[in-house]
Amino acid sequence: MAHQWHVAEQNNSQCTPPPPEPTPTQPPGCNPPICHLIQSEVFESCHEIIPYEPFLVACIFDACSMDNVNIGCTSLQAYANACAQAGVCIEWRNYTNGQCNFTCEKPKVYKACGPQVEQTCNAWYNFKFIKTQNEFSVMGDIQLEGCYCPLGTSLMSSTSNYCIPSCDICTLPNGEWKEANETWVSNCQECVCDPYSLEIQCQPVACQHQPPLTCDQEGQVKVVETVDCCQMDKCECDVTRCSTSKITCPVGFETEATMGVCCPTYQCVPMDVCVFNNTEYQPGANVPEDKCKNCVCGDSVDTQTHLHIIECQPTECDTHCQQGYDHQAVPGQCCGKCVQTSCVVMLPDNTTHTIQPGSVWIPSGDKCLKYECVKIMDQLIPIEAKTVCPDFYPEDCVPGTEVISPDGCCPVCNSITKPCNVTKGKVYLDSNGCKSANEVEVTTCGGSCGTYAMYSLEANMMERSCTCCREVSTTKMEVEMICPDGSKFNHSYIHINKCGCQRTECVTPEATQVTRSRHRRR
């Protein structure tokens, strides 16, 4: 319709209306169910008073032509308002399945039919707009849907949203209210809503007498503050008055801070440790309290110091020593030690024999073997010396002369005369307990040489000629030696290549007694 109202401009021209838009056609087959609520029995009591057909056509047109699914509620609301103005109140929104709900701001509630002018607790307002017949009276006769105070409550004023159970109230300057006989404190005034005049009556707040207050804790200061409009003394904390010095705790104790009224207090509390020689030990740790005791930090706690107790057991010393060793005390130590005092020889039959240092022992079953106990560095080591007998051939002996050498080791005899020659054999060399890695060939010179003694007439004395079987040609040889400690070295020895008879000095132990005899001729 706006285009039908023309406004004259300064140049007296008129607005040119746009060409009319074509009337939208209703989609075929559109039949919104919410619109048929108008012609249902919900609005039946109003059908005879106000025809519903125009509203039904408008509802169908809007619902079928617009995208808003709730547009049909507008037509229903328009028909319900028309019915209400005609004096017929219709409760229709509960039949729309929530599609046309009406929400009110609390505490007000929805009413389908209510007065246009709601009665309030303001008597002047009620008298002028409700009870007095004037130009506003027609509004009081119309019942329309809207938000109203719940049953049993009244609207405090036309400009407020307070629904109160009683109108016996006093209104505060900020628009709030207090019930009759209600008391409160405001701006240090004790106020009450007078039930007779419904006016606010106030008087200064009465302050109670406060007993003397003492602030004697560390860090406390006395201040005056206003509490509930009354000045009162109060103790407050000033941390700048707290002491900054801390205590030093002994070993095994730690500093624990406890917060007092204002300042922390410090004290030494025991730790879960043992203390020995100004050293802390955790429970279960070894404590070197006594050399002759095994000491550990136990789990039990001393009732006086509250520290853990050191538990000790005597040290068990092993005094057993192997053969050849004796247990001896060691100065400065709890337990002694095994000290070697003799050599121990293991014999082929797995038996052992003890030899004192510096002595030699010859087994009874083998005269060719002897053992000597010598001290090398700080150790006593048995040295084995074995005599290797030269090859003995009884067929080379003068019968009846076979005997054992004086040391009881090797067989010897008077040999049948043989020329001087080299005799060979194989043995292991032994030197200071070190033995050759392999057998070596040893050689000897043996045999008879010409030796004689005769009287010389010319010299009037005995003439002697002595020769002996000895080496003529030799070679220096080397062999690798292995010692008991695993060390090795090379050892030189003499090998005889050739033997021969060589002259030597004839030694006469005593002067030969010469007995003269006279030979007579006959």
Side-chain angles (χ1 to χ4, degrees):
M1 299 187 325
H3 298 291
Q4 306 303 321
W5 297 83
H6 303 289
V7 179
E9 296 182 355
Q10 294 181 358
N11 58 2
N12 295 324
S13 64
Q14 294 182 343
C15 297
T16 302
E21 296 182 0
T23 303
T25 59
Q26 177 178 329
C30 180
N31 189 20
I34 192 171
C35 295
H36 293 282
L37 192 64
I38 297 177
Q39 63 182 9
S40 69
E41 59 183 7
V42 174
F43 289 92
E44 185 177 4
S45 58
C46 187
H47 288 169
E48 296 181 358
I49 300 175
I50 297 178
Y52 65 85
E53 288 80 2
F55 297 92
L56 177 61
V57 172
C59 179
I60 295 174
F61 180 84
D62 290 343
C64 294
S65 303
M66 304 183 69
D67 294 334
N68 189 352
V69 296
N70 297 327
I71 191 65
C73 300
T74 305
S75 298
L76 271 69
Q77 183 179 8
Y79 186 59
N81 287 342
C83 295
Q85 292 179 8
V88 180
C89 181
I90 305 296
E91 293 276 358
W92 62 277
R93 290 188 181 270
N94 294 334
Y95 297 94
T96 62
N97 295 324
Q99 188 173 350
C100 301
N101 284 345
F102 195 101
T103 303
C104 293
E105 183 180 357
K106 293 183 178 180
K108 291 186 177 182
V109 296
Y110 169 77
K111 288 184 180 180
C113 299
Q116 288 287 291
V117 182
E118 186 175 4
Q119 185 171 338
T120 69
C121 288
N122 190 326
W124 176 85
Y125 178 87
N126 295 338
F127 179 78
K128 183 175 181 179
F129 294 102
I130 299 177
K131 297 181 180 180
T132 303
Q133 293 294 325
N134 51 26
E135 64 271 19
F136 300 106
S137 298
V138 64
M139 297 178 61
D141 296 335
I142 299 176
Q143 298 284 322
L144 294 177
E145 68 175 354
C147 296
Y148 301 92
C149 284
L151 184 66
T153 63
S154 301
L155 185 64
M156 189 177 73
S157 68
S158 60
T159 59
S160 72
N161 196 38
Y162 294 121
C163 295
I164 57 179
S166 173
C167 287
D168 292 338
I169 61 171
C170 295
T171 305
L172 301 180
N174 60 1
E176 296 183 357
W177 55 274
K178 299 290 183 181
E179 293 184 0
N181 285 323
E182 185 176 353
T183 61
W184 68 96
V185 175
S186 175
N187 295 327
C188 296
Q189 298 283 320
E190 289 184 348
C191 301
V192 62
C193 179
D194 184 68
Y196 302 105
S197 64
L198 296 180
E199 294 180 353
I200 299 173
Q201 299 179 2
C202 299
Q203 60 182 358
V205 174
C207 298
Q208 295 181 352
H209 174 71
Q210 181 186 14
L213 180 64
T214 302
C215 301
D216 54 0
Q217 296 294 324
E218 183 183 9
Q220 279 188 334
V221 292
K222 184 185 292 185
V223 296
V224 179
E225 68 173 4
T226 301
V227 180
D228 295 335
C229 300
C230 297
Q231 288 188 342
M232 301 183 64
D233 293 335
K234 180 182 177 182
C235 293
E236 288 190 350
C237 292
D238 183 2
V239 295
T240 60
R241 297 173 176 262
C242 296
S243 174
T244 58
S245 61
K246 295 184 179 180
I247 61 175
T248 301
C249 296
V251 178
F253 292 80
E254 60 183 351
T255 304
E256 182 181 73
T258 303
M259 193 62 193
V261 177
C262 294
C263 304
T265 58
Y266 301 95
Q267 60 179 347
C268 294
V269 295
M271 301 167 62
D272 290 334
V273 295
C274 296
V275 175
F276 172 71
N277 200 17
N278 285 333
T279 305
E280 297 175 358
Y281 295 89
Q282 297 294 328
N286 293 325
V287 182
E289 185 177 20
D290 193 327
K291 293 182 179 179
C292 293
K293 293 181 180 179
N294 292 324
C295 299
V296 295
C297 181
D299 295 327
S300 57
V301 178
D302 189 281
T303 56
Q304 295 182 351
T305 64
H306 301 289
L307 295 173
H308 284 245
I309 299 175
I310 300 175
E311 300 173 353
C312 297
Q313 296 292 335
T315 301
E316 295 183 0
C317 298
D318 184 9
T319 59
H320 175 73
C321 298
Q322 64 181 0
Q323 187 177 1
Y325 289 78
D326 288 339
H327 188 271
Q328 298 178 3
V330 178
Q333 295 185 8
C334 179
C335 295
K337 66 178 181 178
C338 292
V339 178
Q340 188 179 14
T341 57
S342 59
C343 297
V344 178
V345 176
M346 177 66 71
L347 300 177
D349 59 356
N350 291 331
T351 59
T352 58
H353 184 80
T354 303
I355 307 173
Q356 296 301 317
S359 61
V360 177
W361 175 70
I362 300 175
S364 60
D366 189 353
K367 298 298 182 178
C368 294
L369 182 65
K370 68 177 180 180
Y371 295 92
E372 182 179 5
C373 183
V374 297
K375 186 172 186 180
I376 301 176
M377 301 297 288
D378 293 332
Q379 290 185 323
L380 296 177
I381 300 176
I383 303 298
E384 177 184 310
K386 186 175 183 63
T387 300
V388 178
C389 296
D391 295 337
F392 180 75
Y393 303 101
E395 60 273 15
D396 295 337
C397 297
V398 177
T401 63
E402 298 91 343
V403 293
I404 300 299
S405 62
D407 59 4
C409 175
C410 298
V412 294
C413 68
N414 294 332
S415 300
I416 299 174
T417 301
K418 289 184 178 181
C420 178
N421 205 349
V422 178
T423 302
K424 299 180 180 179
K426 288 190 175 183
V427 295
Y428 284 95
L429 297 184
D430 194 336
S431 175
N432 295 329
C434 302
K435 191 175 182 180
S436 62
N438 300 305
E439 286 183 329
V440 298
E441 186 179 65
V442 294
T443 56
T444 59
C445 287
S448 62
C449 291
T451 300
Y452 66 91
M454 64 178 293
Y455 174 73
S456 174
L457 182 63
E458 290 81 4
N460 194 24
M461 59 180 301
M462 293 295 297
E463 290 183 356
R464 301 178 181 85
S465 177
C466 296
T467 59
C468 65
C469 185
R470 56 181 300 177
E471 71 277 8
V472 175
S473 174
T474 61
T475 302
K476 181 178 286 188
M477 308 289 285
E478 284 191 354
V479 65
E480 185 181 50
M481 305 292 289
I482 301 177
C483 298
D485 59 359
S487 62
K488 299 179 181 180
F489 66 92
N490 290 334
H491 175 72
S492 299
Y493 68 97
I494 303 299
H495 181 272
I496 300 174
N497 299 326
K498 183 179 180 181
C499 298
C501 294
Q502 296 184 8
R503 291 183 63 85
T504 185
E505 182 180 359
C506 295
V507 178
T508 305
E510 298 177 352
T512 303
Q513 183 179 4
V514 180
T515 304
R516 293 187 178 185
S517 61
R518 182 175 294 176
H519 298 275
R520 297 179 180 178
R521 292 183 178 180
R522 293 187 180 178

